[in-house]
Amino acid sequence: AQSVTQLGSHVSVSEGALVLLRCNYSSSVPPYLFWYVQYPNQGLQLLLKYTSAATLVKGINGFEAEFKKSETSFHLTKPSAHMSDAAEYFCAVSGGYSSASKIIFGSGTRLSIRP
Amino acid sequence: DAGVIQSPRHEVTEMGQEVTLRCKPISGHDYLFWYRQTMMRGLELLIYFNNNVPIDDSGMPEDRFSAKMPNASFSTLKIQPSEPRDSAVYFCASSLSSGGFTDTQYFGPGTRLTVL
């Protein structure tokens, strides 16, 4: 079984500041981990995903995330926030090809950018 | 490619009425997913198909909900009868055949359903 917890339902940062969105997961099998972004009135789109290759994963729009097995974390970061980054971000976990696998999404973190 | 297409984008109906939501996945994608998003419960997987066959419908909340995929380019999610608690945004997503839960899912824009 899998589960995911996103710490902080709302994060606010200044433009140009570091963005850090936290995600912790639980999985009984080696996990596949994802970050999706949702802009207002749109569907989700993939930012990046971890599939057991490199532990530091680079995604679109300057975002990256690091898989830390010992901490069961997959936090999302971006060195310098842009106004266009304001959106809702979802962390998700799946058990991959496991027969019992499903994809579980976190509750989301709304990112606001202050001018 | 046009991406995943959903219709209608907005639906307002009265309690007890039948509601049908439609989805056209990306051509060539073998997996299709239906999700429901609400403030209280977040994003929930309702059902998914592989090659038009329903694989897991354990997320469907009640027998009032049903989903079909008659061919590779069309799927429907039906609620009959609808209730106010069904009000939510319903998303359809599709992915390639490399494995439904390992591959990138491409989401449609969603259908915002309001049941009065």
Side-chain angles (χ1 to χ4, degrees):
Chain A
Q2 295 85 39
S3 66
V4 62
T5 301
Q6 291 185 241
L7 301 175
S9 59
H10 182 210
V11 171
S12 179
V13 303
S14 297
E15 191 173 18
L18 171 72
V19 174
L20 171 61
L21 305 182
R22 300 178 188 273
C23 173
N24 287 90
Y25 71 91
S26 172
S27 179
S28 55
V29 297
Y32 285 68
L33 294 159
F34 308 81
W35 276 100
Y36 282 85
V37 61
Q38 184 180 28
Y39 297 102
N41 299 314
Q42 295 185 27
L44 282 69
Q45 57 182 275
L46 184 73
L47 274 179
L48 50 83
K49 63 180 177 181
Y50 167 77
T51 59
S52 76
T55 57
L56 182 63
V57 183
K58 294 187 183 298
I60 61 172
N61 301 338
F63 284 93
E64 63 181 36
E66 186 172 8
F67 173 69
K68 292 187 176 181
K69 184 178 180 180
S70 61
E71 299 177 9
T72 60
S73 69
F74 190 59
H75 301 331
L76 182 71
T77 60
K78 181 174 181 177
S80 176
H82 295 169
M83 297 299 292
S84 59
D85 294 328
E88 186 111 21
Y89 292 79
F90 294 89
C91 182
V93 62
S94 83
Y97 293 98
S98 165
S99 61
S101 175
K102 285 191 175 183
I103 188 164
I104 305 296
F105 285 84
S107 55
T109 297
R110 183 163 61 91
L111 176 64
S112 300
I113 311 297
R114 302 188 299 271
Chain B
D1 199 314
V4 176
I5 299 172
Q6 291 187 249
S7 64
R9 291 294 309 276
H10 301 273
E11 176 80 33
V12 180
T13 190
E14 293 190 347
M15 183 174 62
Q17 296 299 305
E18 177 180 295
V19 175
T20 299
L21 311 181
R22 296 172 176 80
C23 174
K24 176 180 169 55
I26 293 173
S27 177
H29 283 192
D30 291 342
Y31 284 82
L32 184 138
F33 310 84
W34 282 101
Y35 290 90
R36 178 173 68 175
Q37 186 179 41
T38 61
M39 290 292 292
M40 291 297 295
R41 301 176 66 91
L43 194 64
E44 304 172 278
L45 176 64
L46 300 177
I47 184 172
Y48 76 96
F49 295 82
N50 181 22
N51 291 322
N52 313 336
V53 176
I55 303 301
D56 187 342
D57 66 354
S58 60
M60 298 285 259
E62 299 173 37
D63 291 345
R64 298 183 295 107
F65 287 70
S66 62
K68 294 181 179 179
M69 192 165 185
N71 57 62
S73 59
F74 184 66
S75 177
T76 60
L77 178 67
K78 185 176 294 185
I79 308 172
Q80 165 62 20
S82 58
E83 296 183 4
R85 59 194 166 122
D86 301 331
S87 298
V89 180
Y90 291 82
F91 289 103
C92 176
S94 69
S95 70
L96 285 169
S97 59
S98 58
F101 294 121
T102 64
D103 207 353
T104 302
Q105 294 189 29
Y106 295 83
F107 283 75
T111 295
R112 183 174 296 277
L113 173 64
T114 302
V115 183
L116 303 175

